[in-house]
Amino acid sequence: MNARAKKTNAKELSRQKRKFQNFEIYSYEEVSSTNDVAKEIAGDTSQEKMVIVAETQTFGKGRLGRRWISPLGGLWFSVILRPKILPEDATQLTFIMASTVAETISQMFGLKTEIKWPNDVLVEGRKICGILSETNTKKRDVEYVIVGVGINANVDLESFGCNLRDNATSLKFELGHKIKRKVFLRRLLESFDLRYQRLQRGQWRSLLQEWKKLASFLGKQVEVTSFDEISVGVAYDVDENGALKLKLENGATKKIMVGDVTLREKS
Ligand code: BTN
C-alpha cells in the first residue's frame, strides 16, 4: 500500500499510475469512496485532472447523504479539478459531467439517454449514472472540486436491492453484454476535458444549453421533493445557477436548488 492509500485504507490495484491525455489515472481494487480518496490526494498535491477509479466502494456516497451501492463491474470514479471559478459556480462541473456521460453513452452504445434534474443520467427512464461533486474552498476561492461519477456499467441488477432495482438499470442489462470499461472511461475523460476547457473559456451558457437538450423532463409535470417539502408543477426551466424553475398549479413560480424530481406523467 502506498502513502496515497493509507488514510482511507484503500487496496491499490496498480502502483503504476496510467497517463491518458491530460489525466493521471489511479486504479484501486477497493476503497471506501473514490471521492474520499480523491480528497486526500487533492490535499497533498496542487495537481488537477487526477482520476481515482475503484473496482468497488465499501462506502460509496450518493447525493443528500445517501449510500451509493457500488458492486464489482461498475465504473466508480472521481476527478480532481482546480477550476478558476467562484464556489457557487462549482455546480457547473456536475452539469457538464452529466452531459458528457449522457452523450458518450448514446454515441458509444447507441442508447437513448436523458438527464433528470439535477444530474441523474437515465436510460429507458431508469437511472444508469449518478454524480456527486464536493467542493473545497479557501476563503472565497475554490481550492479543488471532486467530481464523483457512478455508472452502472457491467453491473447485474440483482446486485441492487428490490427498491433500487425498479428505478435503476445498467449498460450490461440494456445492451445484453459487458462493455470495455477502460475504453469507456477514456472516452468520457476526453469528452469531459473538452467541455471543461470550454467552461474555463467562459462558455457556461452554451454548455447549459447543451445540457437542456438532454433534459427531457423540461416542460413536463413533475413532483419535486426538497427536504420535507413536496412541490408539484411544470418544470419549465433550469436557471444559470442550476436551480429548477417550477410553474405551480396555482400559477405561481418557484425556484428549487436542491431536491429530487419524479415525473408525474408518461411522455
Ligand atoms: C447520486 O446520488 O446520484 C450520486 C452518486 C455518486 C456516486 C459516485 S461513485 C464514485 C464517487 N464516489 C462516491 O462515493 N460517490 C461517487
Side-chain angles (χ1 to χ4, degrees), residues 32-36 57 59-64 66-68 70 75-78 119-120 127 129-132 134 147-151:
S32 52
S33 152
T34 55
N35 272 26
D36 290 348
Q57 302 184 110
F59 207 84
K61 300 188 296 184
R63 288 177 57 240
L64 309 173
R66 296 178 188 133
R67 288 287 301 277
W68 182 261
S70 318
L75 182 55
W76 324 122
F77 69 98
S78 301
N119 277 303
D120 290 349
K127 184 158 167 173
C129 166
I131 303 169
L132 176 70
E134 298 184 73
V147 182
V149 184
I151 305 177

Side-chain angles (χ1 to χ4, degrees), residues 45-195:
T45 68
S46 54
Q47 258 178 276
E48 69 161 1
K49 296 189 181 170
M50 295 166 95
V51 182
I52 314 305
V53 198
E55 291 294 325
T56 56
Q57 302 184 110
T58 52
F59 207 84
K61 300 188 296 184
R63 288 177 57 240
L64 309 173
R66 296 178 188 133
R67 288 287 301 277
W68 182 261
I69 309 292
S70 318
L72 284 171
L75 182 55
W76 324 122
F77 69 98
S78 301
V79 187
I80 302 171
L81 299 164
R82 299 181 190 275
K84 290 184 180 47
I85 54 175
L86 296 169
E88 55 267 34
D89 291 338
T91 164
Q92 295 171 356
L93 297 166
T94 318
F95 278 70
I96 64 169
M97 184 57 91
S99 303
T100 301
V101 174
E103 187 191 83
T104 308
I105 289 178
S106 57
Q107 286 179 352
M108 274 186 84
F109 308 114
L111 295 171
K112 190 173 173 332
T113 49
E114 54 186 314
I115 297 175
K116 183 166 74 99
W117 185 85
N119 277 303
D120 290 349
V121 179
L122 313 182
V123 171
E124 296 292 336
R126 297 202 159 104
K127 184 158 167 173
I128 205 154
C129 166
I131 303 169
L132 176 70
S133 294
E134 298 184 73
T135 305
N136 194 60
T137 52
K138 218 180 211 171
K139 296 189 180 147
R140 282 287 296 144
D141 293 327
V142 168
E143 204 179 1
Y144 60 79
V145 182
I146 308 295
V147 182
V149 184
I151 305 177
N152 302 330
N154 298 329
V155 168
D156 291 316
L157 299 186
E158 293 72 42
S159 325
F160 299 130
C162 298
N163 294 355
L164 220 55
R165 220 176 293 157
D166 290 344
N167 299 315
T169 190
S170 72
L171 288 171
K172 185 179 170 196
F173 178 81
E174 296 298 332
L175 296 168
H177 60 80
K178 288 188 179 180
I179 60 128
K180 292 189 172 140
R181 287 177 301 163
K182 223 181 253 179
V183 179
F184 180 37
L185 176 62
R186 288 180 171 211
R187 281 281 291 273
L188 289 168
L189 294 176
E190 193 171 25
S191 167
F192 176 78
D193 203 21
L194 294 175
R195 286 186 170 83

